[in-house]
Amino acid sequence: MRAWVLLSAVLSYLAGVGRQRTSLFSRKGFVYGTVGHPVKIYVELHQNSPILVCMDMNHASKETVDPTFLWIGPNENTLTGNSRINITNTGKLIVKDFLEGLSGLYTCTLSYKIIKAETQEENTIKKRYDFMIFAYREPDYSYHMAVRFTTKSCAGRYNGLLFRVLKKILDNLISDLSCHVIEPSYKCHSVKIPDHDFIYELFIAFQVNPFAPGWKSVCHESADCEDTTNHNILKARDRIEEFFWRQAFILYHHFNKTVPAMHFVDHSFQVIRVDNCRPGFGKNEGLHSNCATCCVVCSPGTFSPDVNVTCQICVSVHAYGATSCP
């Protein structure tokens, strides 16, 4: 279970609010500041941020005299005139439809007065609260799979024929999900079975990928497509797993003593999920330990040009979400 609280349930009453991750949410779904310590917040791409409060929880529980609030956004920009930024008169901020470029340091200065009752003397107090907000997206799933088939010999054309037929069957099995088999390969090895002689087996490996030609058509013009592609790749995994389970079932229930020379080796099916991040995003457990499984936007000084899982260093990058190194 992820260490950071997933707040979609807590904030479901707010229209359009997506998934955010942080540690300082109140029961009402607000995020409070901490003096001297930036609060890290992770907002899913194209969703709304949580409600940021220009106070710490201690001040929020007491009365405040003549409070004023000044919000400064990334690059020291005053947060005015931006249709995505909503600031209330009580100092609460929400960012709508969060994008990569909105990531960065958000600072709020709270000014308020302390009045001595006996003299009416006023003192103005200022406190600064920092919020580091990062856009993130869920990783794209793919699956590495491996199976084994017995064969008569490591020589001859039938091994290659079986390999090609198997790939075609699997592609047809998942084509309606916009998934396909990529990087297929096989090798033939001799295997010594305990209390038996040597046998020959084909060790087959391949990857199941959710980006077959035309895959964008399944997104239905959605800004993000991870939910759809990840749902489809999970269905593809289940279909392929069932396919090989049926091979084992047929072998044991439809053949008596005569077993085909080339057949699926029971219990040989293996599957490993592989996560990839879109360009401009990457994983960094050290920097983003509270969103370690997320693909977080690459920070200034880093970039990611492909569907890898890490952001690379590039000192000439000064923006979030860079996909190239100038």
Side-chain angles (χ1 to χ4, degrees):
M1 185 174 181
R2 287 169 175 158
W4 291 84
V5 180
L6 193 63
L7 290 169
S8 56
V10 178
L11 300 176
S12 60
Y13 70 96
L14 295 171
V17 173
R19 289 172 283 184
Q20 309 92 19
R21 302 163 190 259
T22 184
S23 61
L24 296 176
F25 283 90
S26 76
R27 292 180 180 177
K28 294 182 179 180
F30 298 155
V31 180
Y32 293 88
T34 301
V35 175
H37 179 70
V39 179
K40 283 187 177 182
I41 301 165
Y42 299 89
V43 182
E44 189 175 21
L45 199 66
H46 296 296
Q47 302 297 329
N48 294 353
S49 77
I51 300 171
L52 310 186
V53 183
C54 188
M55 284 186 179
D56 53 64
M57 295 187 72
N58 183 46
H59 270 87
S61 63
K62 302 175 182 178
E63 68 175 16
T64 307
V65 179
D66 293 337
T68 60
F69 312 93
L70 176 63
W71 279 97
I72 302 295
N75 301 318
E76 301 294 322
N77 293 325
T78 303
L79 297 175
T80 57
N82 190 326
S83 61
R84 285 193 167 91
I85 305 294
N86 182 20
I87 302 176
T88 70
N89 60 357
T90 57
K92 297 180 180 67
L93 178 145
I94 185 170
V95 186
K96 300 177 180 178
D97 189 22
F98 203 83
L99 301 175
E100 299 97 313
L102 294 172
S103 300
L105 177 64
Y106 289 72
T107 297
C108 183
T109 302
L110 165 65
S111 300
Y112 62 95
K113 294 178 180 177
I114 295 178
I115 303 174
K116 292 184 177 180
E118 63 275 13
T119 63
Q120 294 297 303
E121 179 184 351
E122 299 179 1
N123 289 318
T124 299
I125 306 296
K126 292 186 177 182
K127 291 185 179 295
R128 168 174 165 162
Y129 303 100
D130 292 337
F131 302 85
M132 284 297 304
I133 310 182
F134 300 93
Y136 83 91
R137 61 195 312 163
E138 292 296 329
D140 292 308
Y141 305 154
S142 61
Y143 287 92
H144 283 303
M145 298 184 179
V147 294
R148 290 158 67 174
F149 277 78
T150 62
T151 182
K152 285 184 176 181
S153 168
C154 284
R157 63 186 181 89
Y158 292 105
N159 295 337
L161 179 60
L162 170 66
F163 176 70
R164 291 190 297 272
V165 169
L166 178 63
K167 180 184 181 303
K168 185 174 182 179
I169 290 173
L170 297 180
D171 273 332
N172 289 339
L173 190 65
I174 60 178
S175 62
D176 63 306
L177 301 173
S178 296
C179 298
H180 63 158
V181 172
I182 63 172
E183 301 178 5
S185 64
Y186 77 95
K187 289 185 178 180
C188 186
H189 297 277
S190 59
V191 180
K192 175 66 173 67
I193 305 297
D195 300 324
H196 290 81
D197 203 350
F198 282 98
I199 64 171
Y200 296 101
E201 290 186 358
L202 300 179
F203 288 60
I204 299 174
F206 55 92
Q207 183 175 339
V208 181
N209 180 284
F211 304 116
W215 69 271
K216 289 186 177 181
S217 63
V218 305
C219 300
H220 304 297
E221 300 181 356
S222 171
D224 273 323
C225 203
E226 296 101 320
D227 289 344
T228 300
T229 55
N230 286 344
H231 175 73
N232 286 347
I233 196 68
L234 287 172
K235 290 178 68 174
R237 179 204 63 185
D238 291 345
R239 288 185 189 179
I240 292 175
E241 192 169 26
E242 182 182 8
F243 170 79
F244 286 112
W245 177 85
R246 289 186 178 275
Q247 300 309 303
F249 180 86
I250 291 171
L251 180 66
Y252 281 102
H253 293 83
H254 292 266
F255 294 100
N256 295 323
K257 295 183 179 180
T258 304
V259 178
M262 303 182 76
H263 65 264
F264 171 68
V265 177
D266 193 15
H267 303 300
S268 70
F269 178 71
Q270 299 178 24
V271 56
I272 299 174
R273 197 184 89 179
V274 179
D275 291 352
N276 291 302
C277 296
R278 301 281 176 94
F281 291 80
K283 290 186 178 184
N284 188 325
E285 187 172 352
L287 182 62
H288 303 296
S289 59
N290 298 324
C291 204
T293 61
C294 313
C295 291
V296 181
V297 64
C298 294
S299 299
T302 63
F303 76 108
S304 177
D306 50 28
V307 288
N308 210 324
V309 291
T310 58
C311 298
Q312 305 173 35
I313 295 175
C314 178
V315 294
S316 59
V317 169
H318 304 292
Y320 284 88
T323 60
S324 62
C325 184

